[in-house]
Amino acid sequence: MEPIIQNSLFTPYLALHIPDGFLSPGVSVFCWVITLVLIAVSLNKVQKDYQEKAVPLMGVCAAFIFAAQMINFPIPGGTSGHLVGGVLAAIILGPWAGTLVVTVVYIVQAVLFQDGGLTVLGANILNMGLIGTFGGYYLYKAIRFALGRNSWKSMTIATAVASWLSVMIAAIATALQLALSGTVPLMVSMIAMVSWHIFIGVGEAIITVIAIGFVWRSRPDLIYDSPLSLKVDARENVHSS
């Protein structure tokens, strides 16, 4: 998400893509450590538990998220936002492979399109990718199982809530990092980030629900940890067609 938010008393632009120089060395290094550990664990899990057929799906998912992020949707105040994609990747691929996908997406964005700084890339991946992928997935899973695993209604609610909250938590994490770095006072950064991302989170939820709904209807067996009954139905539909 890249909303442009400027307070009259402070020069920094508050967005989820943090530029170079906006975080202190200590905060930046701390975020890098967490990010690298989670990436290393994800690599190990994917190599151990995932089959080779998951690799093409990871590539397709990464391409879709990257393309979807090129589409900006307007929000009140004359700015815009775009898809973050962490929850979407996690629902399709699971939290481990989803982490690797969003990591690649945000590396490409930073290197080729200068969306966020390279020295703070660890923080940007952590905020926009890993928080949403891990936290969003387990929240989605808990809601879905509580409301009914096989129900599209529960799937929709779980996807929407997890997507919206993933954006809100990312905004809060970014505000905290900016405040800890002494870039912006905590209340200023928190109010600015949270108020704008309430709307951006709604856009994230709508896009994610639409994308997951398409997969649910066409190839439910591609959804990570999808119910066995849906996998069987999908195979029967393929054989009968």
Side-chain angles (χ1 to χ4, degrees):
M1 298 295 173
E2 195 69 33
I4 303 302
I5 308 166
Q6 188 172 26
N7 185 276
S8 60
L9 299 178
F10 301 95
T11 56
Y13 290 90
L14 304 181
L16 291 188
H17 290 281
I18 303 173
D20 285 322
F22 276 50
L23 296 184
S24 66
V27 172
S28 182
V29 169
F30 178 76
C31 292
W32 267 113
V33 169
I34 297 176
T35 297
L36 292 175
V37 168
L38 290 176
I39 292 173
V41 173
S42 297
L43 279 170
N44 182 64
K45 292 286 290 185
V46 169
Q47 291 174 347
K48 180 180 178 181
D49 299 336
Y50 285 67
Q51 300 178 358
E52 290 185 1
K53 66 179 182 180
V55 175
L57 184 58
M58 291 172 64
V60 171
C61 189
F64 174 81
I65 292 174
F66 186 81
Q69 288 181 347
M70 298 297 102
I71 303 173
N72 286 270
F73 51 85
I75 61 174
T79 185
S80 63
H82 64 69
L83 180 74
V84 172
V87 172
L88 174 60
I91 293 175
I92 298 296
L93 299 167
W96 309 108
T99 289
L100 300 182
V101 163
V102 295
T103 296
V104 170
V105 168
Y106 286 112
I107 289 175
V108 171
Q109 281 193 338
V111 173
L112 297 184
F113 297 96
Q114 289 76 54
D115 283 342
L118 294 178
T119 61
V120 294
L121 183 57
N124 286 331
I125 292 174
L126 176 64
N127 297 340
M128 293 182 288
L130 305 188
I131 290 176
T133 306
F134 282 101
Y137 172 75
Y138 288 107
L139 176 61
Y140 145 84
K141 186 175 181 180
I143 296 173
R144 181 181 162 194
F145 275 67
L147 298 179
R149 187 183 183 199
N150 294 315
S151 166
W152 167 240
K153 180 180 179 181
S154 66
M155 184 79 167
T156 302
I157 295 173
T159 300
V161 172
S163 300
W164 185 81
L165 275 178
S166 70
V167 172
M168 295 303 298
I169 295 173
I172 292 171
T174 301
L176 288 173
Q177 291 160 9
L178 291 170
L180 289 172
S181 299
T183 305
V184 185
L186 178 60
M187 288 304 298
V188 173
S189 62
M190 192 67 70
I191 291 173
M193 293 296 291
V194 170
S195 61
W196 286 101
H197 286 86
I198 287 174
F199 301 102
I200 294 176
V202 173
E204 177 83 10
I206 293 172
I207 295 172
T208 305
V209 167
I210 292 173
I212 295 301
F214 175 79
V215 177
W216 177 277
R217 291 189 298 271
S218 58
R219 288 292 304 275
D221 56 307
L222 294 181
I223 296 175
Y224 184 79
D225 195 28
S226 62
L228 180 60
S229 60
L230 291 177
K231 294 182 180 181
V232 172
D233 290 342
R235 287 197 294 267
E236 289 178 348
N237 290 336
V238 171
H239 292 322
S240 62
S241 59

